[in-house]
PDB file of all heavy atoms in Angstrom:
ATOM      1  N   MET A   1      -1.408   1.836   0.615  1.00 80.00           N
ATOM      2  CA  MET A   1      -1.023   1.444   1.955  1.00 80.00           C
ATOM      3  C   MET A   1       0.051   2.379   2.459  1.00 80.00           C
ATOM      4  O   MET A   1       0.881   2.853   1.691  1.00 80.00           O
ATOM      5  CB  MET A   1      -0.486   0.014   1.956  1.00 80.00           C
ATOM      6  CG  MET A   1      -1.509  -1.030   1.644  1.00 80.00           C
ATOM      7  SD  MET A   1      -0.810  -2.695   1.528  1.00 80.00           S
ATOM      8  CE  MET A   1      -0.306  -2.935   3.205  1.00 80.00           C
ATOM      9  N   ARG A   2       0.032   2.575   3.748  1.00 80.00           N
ATOM     10  CA  ARG A   2       1.108   3.336   4.378  1.00 80.00           C
ATOM     11  C   ARG A   2       2.350   2.448   4.455  1.00 80.00           C
ATOM     12  O   ARG A   2       2.266   1.224   4.404  1.00 80.00           O
ATOM     13  CB  ARG A   2       0.692   3.760   5.778  1.00 80.00           C
ATOM     14  CG  ARG A   2      -0.424   4.781   5.796  1.00 80.00           C
ATOM     15  CD  ARG A   2      -0.795   5.135   7.232  1.00 80.00           C
ATOM     16  NE  ARG A   2      -1.836   6.138   7.261  1.00 80.00           N
ATOM     17  CZ  ARG A   2      -3.134   5.852   7.375  1.00 80.00           C
ATOM     18  NH1 ARG A   2      -3.530   4.598   7.475  1.00 80.00           N
ATOM     19  NH2 ARG A   2      -4.018   6.817   7.387  1.00 80.00           N
ATOM     20  N   ARG A   3       3.504   3.096   4.598  1.00 84.00           N
ATOM     21  CA  ARG A   3       4.776   2.376   4.669  1.00 84.00           C
ATOM     22  C   ARG A   3       4.754   1.328   5.780  1.00 84.00           C
ATOM     23  O   ARG A   3       5.075   0.156   5.557  1.00 84.00           O
ATOM     24  CB  ARG A   3       5.913   3.381   4.894  1.00 84.00           C
ATOM     25  CG  ARG A   3       7.279   2.734   5.056  1.00 84.00           C
ATOM     26  CD  ARG A   3       8.349   3.764   5.375  1.00 84.00           C
ATOM     27  NE  ARG A   3       7.948   4.747   6.351  1.00 84.00           N
ATOM     28  CZ  ARG A   3       8.003   4.566   7.685  1.00 84.00           C
ATOM     29  NH1 ARG A   3       8.434   3.449   8.182  1.00 84.00           N
ATOM     30  NH2 ARG A   3       7.608   5.522   8.496  1.00 84.00           N
ATOM     31  N   LYS A   4       4.356   1.711   6.979  1.00 87.00           N
ATOM     32  CA  LYS A   4       4.347   0.769   8.098  1.00 87.00           C
ATOM     33  C   LYS A   4       3.378  -0.389   7.844  1.00 87.00           C
ATOM     34  O   LYS A   4       3.655  -1.532   8.207  1.00 87.00           O
ATOM     35  CB  LYS A   4       3.984   1.487   9.397  1.00 87.00           C
ATOM     36  CG  LYS A   4       4.053   0.578  10.594  1.00 87.00           C
ATOM     37  CD  LYS A   4       3.742   1.292  11.878  1.00 87.00           C
ATOM     38  CE  LYS A   4       3.797   0.317  13.039  1.00 87.00           C
ATOM     39  NZ  LYS A   4       3.328   0.900  14.271  1.00 87.00           N
ATOM     40  N   GLU A   5       2.253  -0.097   7.209  1.00 87.00           N
ATOM     41  CA  GLU A   5       1.284  -1.145   6.896  1.00 87.00           C
ATOM     42  C   GLU A   5       1.879  -2.159   5.928  1.00 87.00           C
ATOM     43  O   GLU A   5       1.667  -3.361   6.067  1.00 87.00           O
ATOM     44  CB  GLU A   5       0.014  -0.532   6.317  1.00 87.00           C
ATOM     45  CG  GLU A   5      -0.742   0.342   7.290  1.00 87.00           C
ATOM     46  CD  GLU A   5      -1.816   1.200   6.659  1.00 87.00           C
ATOM     47  OE1 GLU A   5      -1.899   1.259   5.415  1.00 87.00           O
ATOM     48  OE2 GLU A   5      -2.577   1.822   7.421  1.00 87.00           O
ATOM     49  N   LEU A   6       2.627  -1.682   4.970  1.00 89.00           N
ATOM     50  CA  LEU A   6       3.282  -2.555   4.001  1.00 89.00           C
ATOM     51  C   LEU A   6       4.339  -3.415   4.686  1.00 89.00           C
ATOM     52  O   LEU A   6       4.420  -4.626   4.457  1.00 89.00           O
ATOM     53  CB  LEU A   6       3.925  -1.725   2.891  1.00 89.00           C
ATOM     54  CG  LEU A   6       4.588  -2.525   1.785  1.00 89.00           C
ATOM     55  CD1 LEU A   6       3.529  -3.024   0.809  1.00 89.00           C
ATOM     56  CD2 LEU A   6       5.600  -1.675   1.059  1.00 89.00           C
ATOM     57  N   LEU A   7       5.135  -2.793   5.550  1.00 91.00           N
ATOM     58  CA  LEU A   7       6.226  -3.514   6.213  1.00 91.00           C
ATOM     59  C   LEU A   7       5.726  -4.562   7.201  1.00 91.00           C
ATOM     60  O   LEU A   7       6.411  -5.542   7.463  1.00 91.00           O
ATOM     61  CB  LEU A   7       7.152  -2.531   6.927  1.00 91.00           C
ATOM     62  CG  LEU A   7       7.956  -1.605   6.014  1.00 91.00           C
ATOM     63  CD1 LEU A   7       8.670  -0.533   6.827  1.00 91.00           C
ATOM     64  CD2 LEU A   7       8.946  -2.383   5.175  1.00 91.00           C
ATOM     65  N   THR A   8       4.529  -4.360   7.760  1.00 92.00           N
ATOM     66  CA  THR A   8       4.005  -5.297   8.758  1.00 92.00           C
ATOM     67  C   THR A   8       2.926  -6.221   8.200  1.00 92.00           C
ATOM     68  O   THR A   8       2.315  -6.975   8.954  1.00 92.00           O
ATOM     69  CB  THR A   8       3.444  -4.535   9.977  1.00 92.00           C
ATOM     70  OG1 THR A   8       2.406  -3.655   9.536  1.00 92.00           O
ATOM     71  CG2 THR A   8       4.542  -3.748  10.685  1.00 92.00           C
ATOM     72  N   LEU A   9       2.718  -6.193   6.885  1.00 93.00           N
ATOM     73  CA  LEU A   9       1.697  -7.035   6.261  1.00 93.00           C
ATOM     74  C   LEU A   9       2.036  -8.511   6.443  1.00 93.00           C
ATOM     75  O   LEU A   9       3.155  -8.943   6.206  1.00 93.00           O
ATOM     76  CB  LEU A   9       1.601  -6.688   4.772  1.00 93.00           C
ATOM     77  CG  LEU A   9       0.406  -7.249   4.014  1.00 93.00           C
ATOM     78  CD1 LEU A   9      -0.890  -6.663   4.560  1.00 93.00           C
ATOM     79  CD2 LEU A   9       0.555  -6.942   2.537  1.00 93.00           C
ATOM     80  N   GLU A  10       1.050  -9.265   6.884  1.00 94.00           N
ATOM     81  CA  GLU A  10       1.211 -10.701   7.134  1.00 94.00           C
ATOM     82  C   GLU A  10       0.460 -11.509   6.074  1.00 94.00           C
ATOM     83  O   GLU A  10      -0.482 -11.013   5.452  1.00 94.00           O
ATOM     84  CB  GLU A  10       0.652 -11.056   8.521  1.00 94.00           C
ATOM     85  CG  GLU A  10       1.346 -10.364   9.671  1.00 94.00           C
ATOM     86  CD  GLU A  10       2.697 -10.971   9.999  1.00 94.00           C
ATOM     87  OE1 GLU A  10       2.820 -12.213   9.902  1.00 94.00           O
ATOM     88  OE2 GLU A  10       3.615 -10.211  10.346  1.00 94.00           O
ATOM     89  N   ASP A  13      -3.268 -11.621   6.044  1.00 95.00           N
ATOM     90  CA  ASP A  13      -3.952 -10.356   5.758  1.00 95.00           C
ATOM     91  C   ASP A  13      -4.434 -10.278   4.314  1.00 95.00           C
ATOM     92  O   ASP A  13      -5.230  -9.408   3.969  1.00 95.00           O
ATOM     93  CB  ASP A  13      -3.021  -9.158   6.023  1.00 95.00           C
ATOM     94  CG  ASP A  13      -2.642  -9.019   7.489  1.00 95.00           C
ATOM     95  OD1 ASP A  13      -3.440  -9.441   8.353  1.00 95.00           O
ATOM     96  OD2 ASP A  13      -1.549  -8.496   7.764  1.00 95.00           O
ATOM     97  N   ILE A  14      -3.951 -11.174   3.472  1.00 95.00           N
ATOM     98  CA  ILE A  14      -4.314 -11.162   2.054  1.00 95.00           C
ATOM     99  C   ILE A  14      -5.362 -12.239   1.804  1.00 95.00           C
ATOM    100  O   ILE A  14      -5.150 -13.407   2.119  1.00 95.00           O
ATOM    101  CB  ILE A  14      -3.071 -11.393   1.162  1.00 95.00           C
ATOM    102  CG1 ILE A  14      -2.074 -10.266   1.376  1.00 95.00           C
ATOM    103  CG2 ILE A  14      -3.480 -11.506  -0.302  1.00 95.00           C
ATOM    104  CD1 ILE A  14      -0.777 -10.453   0.639  1.00 95.00           C
ATOM    105  N   ILE A  21      -7.050  -6.890   0.808  1.00 93.00           N
ATOM    106  CA  ILE A  21      -5.966  -6.918   1.798  1.00 93.00           C
ATOM    107  C   ILE A  21      -6.527  -6.293   3.064  1.00 93.00           C
ATOM    108  O   ILE A  21      -7.075  -5.189   3.033  1.00 93.00           O
ATOM    109  CB  ILE A  21      -4.739  -6.129   1.315  1.00 93.00           C
ATOM    110  CG1 ILE A  21      -4.178  -6.751   0.041  1.00 93.00           C
ATOM    111  CG2 ILE A  21      -3.674  -6.061   2.408  1.00 93.00           C
ATOM    112  CD1 ILE A  21      -3.067  -5.941  -0.610  1.00 93.00           C
ATOM    113  N   ILE A  23      -6.073  -4.618   6.669  1.00 89.00           N
ATOM    114  CA  ILE A  23      -5.124  -3.875   7.504  1.00 89.00           C
ATOM    115  C   ILE A  23      -5.732  -3.822   8.896  1.00 89.00           C
ATOM    116  O   ILE A  23      -6.716  -3.110   9.134  1.00 89.00           O
ATOM    117  CB  ILE A  23      -4.882  -2.445   6.957  1.00 89.00           C
ATOM    118  CG1 ILE A  23      -4.480  -2.489   5.491  1.00 89.00           C
ATOM    119  CG2 ILE A  23      -3.853  -1.711   7.808  1.00 89.00           C
ATOM    120  CD1 ILE A  23      -3.184  -3.206   5.210  1.00 89.00           C
ATOM    121  N   GLU A  25      -4.168  -3.107  12.036  1.00 74.00           N
ATOM    122  CA  GLU A  25      -3.754  -2.051  12.961  1.00 74.00           C
ATOM    123  C   GLU A  25      -3.112  -0.877  12.223  1.00 74.00           C
ATOM    124  O   GLU A  25      -1.909  -0.663  12.317  1.00 74.00           O
ATOM    125  CB  GLU A  25      -2.782  -2.611  13.993  1.00 74.00           C
ATOM    126  CG  GLU A  25      -3.425  -3.626  14.912  1.00 74.00           C
ATOM    127  CD  GLU A  25      -2.494  -4.091  16.005  1.00 74.00           C
ATOM    128  OE1 GLU A  25      -1.700  -3.273  16.494  1.00 74.00           O
ATOM    129  OE2 GLU A  25      -2.571  -5.274  16.355  1.00 74.00           O
ATOM    130  N   PRO A  26      -3.929  -0.100  11.510  1.00 63.00           N
ATOM    131  CA  PRO A  26      -3.366   1.051  10.810  1.00 63.00           C
ATOM    132  C   PRO A  26      -3.062   2.200  11.768  1.00 63.00           C
ATOM    133  O   PRO A  26      -3.353   2.129  12.967  1.00 63.00           O
ATOM    134  CB  PRO A  26      -4.476   1.434   9.838  1.00 63.00           C
ATOM    135  CG  PRO A  26      -5.726   0.977  10.498  1.00 63.00           C
ATOM    136  CD  PRO A  26      -5.355  -0.255  11.279  1.00 63.00           C
ATOM    137  N   ARG A  32      -9.287  -1.782   8.280  1.00 84.00           N
ATOM    138  CA  ARG A  32      -9.936  -1.557   6.992  1.00 84.00           C
ATOM    139  C   ARG A  32      -9.486  -2.623   6.002  1.00 84.00           C
ATOM    140  O   ARG A  32      -8.474  -3.283   6.207  1.00 84.00           O
ATOM    141  CB  ARG A  32      -9.622  -0.166   6.453  1.00 84.00           C
ATOM    142  CG  ARG A  32      -8.215   0.017   5.925  1.00 84.00           C
ATOM    143  CD  ARG A  32      -8.016   1.464   5.458  1.00 84.00           C
ATOM    144  NE  ARG A  32      -6.831   1.656   4.675  1.00 84.00           N
ATOM    145  CZ  ARG A  32      -5.598   1.743   5.144  1.00 84.00           C
ATOM    146  NH1 ARG A  32      -5.380   1.631   6.427  1.00 84.00           N
ATOM    147  NH2 ARG A  32      -4.575   1.940   4.330  1.00 84.00           N
ATOM    148  N   ILE A  34      -8.560  -3.209   1.896  1.00 87.00           N
ATOM    149  CA  ILE A  34      -8.162  -2.526   0.670  1.00 87.00           C
ATOM    150  C   ILE A  34      -8.454  -3.469  -0.494  1.00 87.00           C
ATOM    151  O   ILE A  34      -7.944  -4.586  -0.524  1.00 87.00           O
ATOM    152  CB  ILE A  34      -6.656  -2.178   0.700  1.00 87.00           C
ATOM    153  CG1 ILE A  34      -6.346  -1.239   1.857  1.00 87.00           C
ATOM    154  CG2 ILE A  34      -6.230  -1.569  -0.630  1.00 87.00           C
ATOM    155  CD1 ILE A  34      -4.861  -0.987   2.047  1.00 87.00           C
ATOM    156  N   ILE A  44       0.487 -10.019  -6.987  1.00 93.00           N
ATOM    157  CA  ILE A  44       0.731 -10.425  -5.603  1.00 93.00           C
ATOM    158  C   ILE A  44       0.791 -11.940  -5.490  1.00 93.00           C
ATOM    159  O   ILE A  44       1.682 -12.495  -4.842  1.00 93.00           O
ATOM    160  CB  ILE A  44      -0.329  -9.818  -4.657  1.00 93.00           C
ATOM    161  CG1 ILE A  44      -0.088  -8.304  -4.527  1.00 93.00           C
ATOM    162  CG2 ILE A  44      -0.290 -10.493  -3.285  1.00 93.00           C
ATOM    163  CD1 ILE A  44      -1.161  -7.558  -3.783  1.00 93.00           C
ATOM    164  N   SER A  64       5.580 -12.777   7.395  1.00 95.00           N
ATOM    165  CA  SER A  64       5.625 -11.478   6.727  1.00 95.00           C
ATOM    166  C   SER A  64       5.473 -11.676   5.233  1.00 95.00           C
ATOM    167  O   SER A  64       6.060 -12.593   4.659  1.00 95.00           O
ATOM    168  CB  SER A  64       6.956 -10.772   6.991  1.00 95.00           C
ATOM    169  OG  SER A  64       7.126 -10.531   8.363  1.00 95.00           O
ATOM    170  N   VAL A  65       4.698 -10.806   4.585  1.00 95.00           N
ATOM    171  CA  VAL A  65       4.489 -10.945   3.151  1.00 95.00           C
ATOM    172  C   VAL A  65       5.761 -10.604   2.394  1.00 95.00           C
ATOM    173  O   VAL A  65       6.226 -11.371   1.557  1.00 95.00           O
ATOM    174  CB  VAL A  65       3.312 -10.060   2.664  1.00 95.00           C
ATOM    175  CG1 VAL A  65       3.247 -10.026   1.148  1.00 95.00           C
ATOM    176  CG2 VAL A  65       2.002 -10.569   3.250  1.00 95.00           C
ATOM    177  N   PHE A  66       6.316  -9.438   2.685  1.00 93.00           N
ATOM    178  CA  PHE A  66       7.483  -8.981   1.938  1.00 93.00           C
ATOM    179  C   PHE A  66       8.756  -9.306   2.699  1.00 93.00           C
ATOM    180  O   PHE A  66       8.948  -8.873   3.836  1.00 93.00           O
ATOM    181  CB  PHE A  66       7.365  -7.483   1.636  1.00 93.00           C
ATOM    182  CG  PHE A  66       6.172  -7.197   0.770  1.00 93.00           C
ATOM    183  CD1 PHE A  66       5.028  -6.620   1.294  1.00 93.00           C
ATOM    184  CD2 PHE A  66       6.174  -7.555  -0.578  1.00 93.00           C
ATOM    185  CE1 PHE A  66       3.925  -6.379   0.499  1.00 93.00           C
ATOM    186  CE2 PHE A  66       5.076  -7.331  -1.377  1.00 93.00           C
ATOM    187  CZ  PHE A  66       3.944  -6.740  -0.843  1.00 93.00           C
ATOM    188  N   ILE A  67       9.606 -10.097   2.037  1.00 93.00           N
ATOM    189  CA  ILE A  67      10.829 -10.562   2.685  1.00 93.00           C
ATOM    190  C   ILE A  67      12.039 -10.228   1.824  1.00 93.00           C
ATOM    191  O   ILE A  67      11.930  -9.985   0.627  1.00 93.00           O
ATOM    192  CB  ILE A  67      10.769 -12.084   2.964  1.00 93.00           C
ATOM    193  CG1 ILE A  67      10.636 -12.872   1.666  1.00 93.00           C
ATOM    194  CG2 ILE A  67       9.632 -12.409   3.928  1.00 93.00           C
ATOM    195  CD1 ILE A  67      10.758 -14.355   1.838  1.00 93.00           C
ATOM    196  N   ALA A  73      11.943 -10.566   7.161  1.00 93.00           N
ATOM    197  CA  ALA A  73      11.001  -9.485   6.858  1.00 93.00           C
ATOM    198  C   ALA A  73      11.791  -8.259   6.416  1.00 93.00           C
ATOM    199  O   ALA A  73      12.824  -7.936   6.998  1.00 93.00           O
ATOM    200  CB  ALA A  73      10.163  -9.161   8.091  1.00 93.00           C
ATOM    201  N   ILE A  74      11.306  -7.591   5.364  1.00 93.00           N
ATOM    202  CA  ILE A  74      12.033  -6.410   4.902  1.00 93.00           C
ATOM    203  C   ILE A  74      11.889  -5.283   5.920  1.00 93.00           C
ATOM    204  O   ILE A  74      10.922  -5.209   6.662  1.00 93.00           O
ATOM    205  CB  ILE A  74      11.602  -5.928   3.501  1.00 93.00           C
ATOM    206  CG1 ILE A  74      10.162  -5.424   3.491  1.00 93.00           C
ATOM    207  CG2 ILE A  74      11.826  -6.987   2.461  1.00 93.00           C
ATOM    208  CD1 ILE A  74       9.819  -4.649   2.237  1.00 93.00           C
ATOM    209  N   ARG A  75      12.896  -4.428   5.922  1.00 93.00           N
ATOM    210  CA  ARG A  75      12.910  -3.272   6.811  1.00 93.00           C
ATOM    211  C   ARG A  75      12.687  -2.012   5.991  1.00 93.00           C
ATOM    212  O   ARG A  75      12.691  -2.040   4.759  1.00 93.00           O
ATOM    213  CB  ARG A  75      14.241  -3.206   7.553  1.00 93.00           C
ATOM    214  CG  ARG A  75      14.476  -4.424   8.449  1.00 93.00           C
ATOM    215  CD  ARG A  75      15.785  -4.326   9.136  1.00 93.00           C
ATOM    216  NE  ARG A  75      16.839  -4.339   8.097  1.00 93.00           N
ATOM    217  CZ  ARG A  75      18.099  -4.570   8.313  1.00 93.00           C
ATOM    218  NH1 ARG A  75      18.519  -4.825   9.524  1.00 93.00           N
ATOM    219  NH2 ARG A  75      18.977  -4.561   7.332  1.00 93.00           N
ATOM    220  N   ASN A  76      12.550  -0.928   6.689  1.00 90.00           N
ATOM    221  CA  ASN A  76      12.335   0.360   6.042  1.00 90.00           C
ATOM    222  C   ASN A  76      13.472   0.690   5.077  1.00 90.00           C
ATOM    223  O   ASN A  76      13.233   1.197   3.983  1.00 90.00           O
ATOM    224  CB  ASN A  76      12.188   1.448   7.105  1.00 90.00           C
ATOM    225  CG  ASN A  76      11.701   2.745   6.516  1.00 90.00           C
ATOM    226  OD1 ASN A  76      10.843   2.750   5.648  1.00 90.00           O
ATOM    227  ND2 ASN A  76      12.254   3.831   6.986  1.00 90.00           N
ATOM    228  N   THR A  78      15.323  -1.328   3.354  1.00 90.00           N
ATOM    229  CA  THR A  78      15.178  -2.149   2.148  1.00 90.00           C
ATOM    230  C   THR A  78      14.094  -1.568   1.242  1.00 90.00           C
ATOM    231  O   THR A  78      14.273  -1.482   0.027  1.00 90.00           O
ATOM    232  CB  THR A  78      14.823  -3.603   2.515  1.00 90.00           C
ATOM    233  OG1 THR A  78      15.794  -4.095   3.437  1.00 90.00           O
ATOM    234  CG2 THR A  78      14.779  -4.495   1.290  1.00 90.00           C
ATOM    235  N   LEU A  79      12.999  -1.155   1.841  1.00 86.00           N
ATOM    236  CA  LEU A  79      11.930  -0.541   1.065  1.00 86.00           C
ATOM    237  C   LEU A  79      12.416   0.745   0.395  1.00 86.00           C
ATOM    238  O   LEU A  79      12.107   1.000  -0.764  1.00 86.00           O
ATOM    239  CB  LEU A  79      10.718  -0.254   1.961  1.00 86.00           C
ATOM    240  CG  LEU A  79       9.481   0.304   1.276  1.00 86.00           C
ATOM    241  CD1 LEU A  79       8.978  -0.629   0.180  1.00 86.00           C
ATOM    242  CD2 LEU A  79       8.401   0.579   2.299  1.00 86.00           C
ATOM    243  N   ALA A  80      13.211   1.526   1.109  1.00 85.00           N
ATOM    244  CA  ALA A  80      13.765   2.763   0.535  1.00 85.00           C
ATOM    245  C   ALA A  80      14.656   2.451  -0.665  1.00 85.00           C
ATOM    246  O   ALA A  80      14.603   3.157  -1.683  1.00 85.00           O
ATOM    247  CB  ALA A  80      14.543   3.531   1.599  1.00 85.00           C
ATOM    248  N   ILE A  82      14.402  -0.137  -2.655  1.00 84.00           N
ATOM    249  CA  ILE A  82      13.515  -0.567  -3.739  1.00 84.00           C
ATOM    250  C   ILE A  82      12.907   0.654  -4.412  1.00 84.00           C
ATOM    251  O   ILE A  82      12.859   0.737  -5.649  1.00 84.00           O
ATOM    252  CB  ILE A  82      12.411  -1.515  -3.204  1.00 84.00           C
ATOM    253  CG1 ILE A  82      13.026  -2.844  -2.758  1.00 84.00           C
ATOM    254  CG2 ILE A  82      11.323  -1.740  -4.251  1.00 84.00           C
ATOM    255  CD1 ILE A  82      12.088  -3.722  -1.950  1.00 84.00           C
ATOM    256  N   MET A  83      12.463   1.607  -3.628  1.00 81.00           N
ATOM    257  CA  MET A  83      11.874   2.830  -4.190  1.00 81.00           C
ATOM    258  C   MET A  83      12.915   3.601  -4.999  1.00 81.00           C
ATOM    259  O   MET A  83      12.600   4.144  -6.060  1.00 81.00           O
ATOM    260  CB  MET A  83      11.292   3.714  -3.081  1.00 81.00           C
ATOM    261  CG  MET A  83      10.065   3.145  -2.402  1.00 81.00           C
ATOM    262  SD  MET A  83       8.694   2.814  -3.531  1.00 81.00           S
ATOM    263  CE  MET A  83       8.315   4.459  -4.093  1.00 81.00           C
ATOM    264  N   ARG A  98       6.723   6.732  -1.379  1.00 70.00           N
ATOM    265  CA  ARG A  98       5.490   6.000  -1.070  1.00 70.00           C
ATOM    266  C   ARG A  98       4.382   6.985  -0.732  1.00 70.00           C
ATOM    267  O   ARG A  98       3.244   6.812  -1.124  1.00 70.00           O
ATOM    268  CB  ARG A  98       5.709   5.044   0.114  1.00 70.00           C
ATOM    269  CG  ARG A  98       6.625   3.916  -0.247  1.00 70.00           C
ATOM    270  CD  ARG A  98       6.101   2.520  -0.008  1.00 70.00           C
ATOM    271  NE  ARG A  98       4.770   2.365   0.453  1.00 70.00           N
ATOM    272  CZ  ARG A  98       3.747   1.993  -0.348  1.00 70.00           C
ATOM    273  NH1 ARG A  98       3.932   1.781  -1.612  1.00 70.00           N
ATOM    274  NH2 ARG A  98       2.541   1.831   0.144  1.00 70.00           N
TER     275      ARG A  98
END
Side-chain angles (χ1 to χ4, degrees):
M1 293 176 66
R2 292 179 178 95
R3 177 184 43 83
K4 184 178 179 188
E5 295 167 352
L6 183 80
L7 293 171
T8 59
L9 192 64
E10 299 284 323
D13 295 332
I14 298 175
I21 298 173
I23 307 297
E25 294 185 36
R32 73 182 193 282
I34 299 173
I44 289 172
S64 299
V65 170
F66 298 105
I67 61 172
I74 66 166
R75 298 179 297 196
N76 191 40
T78 306
L79 184 58
I82 292 168
M83 291 302 296
R98 292 235 4 103

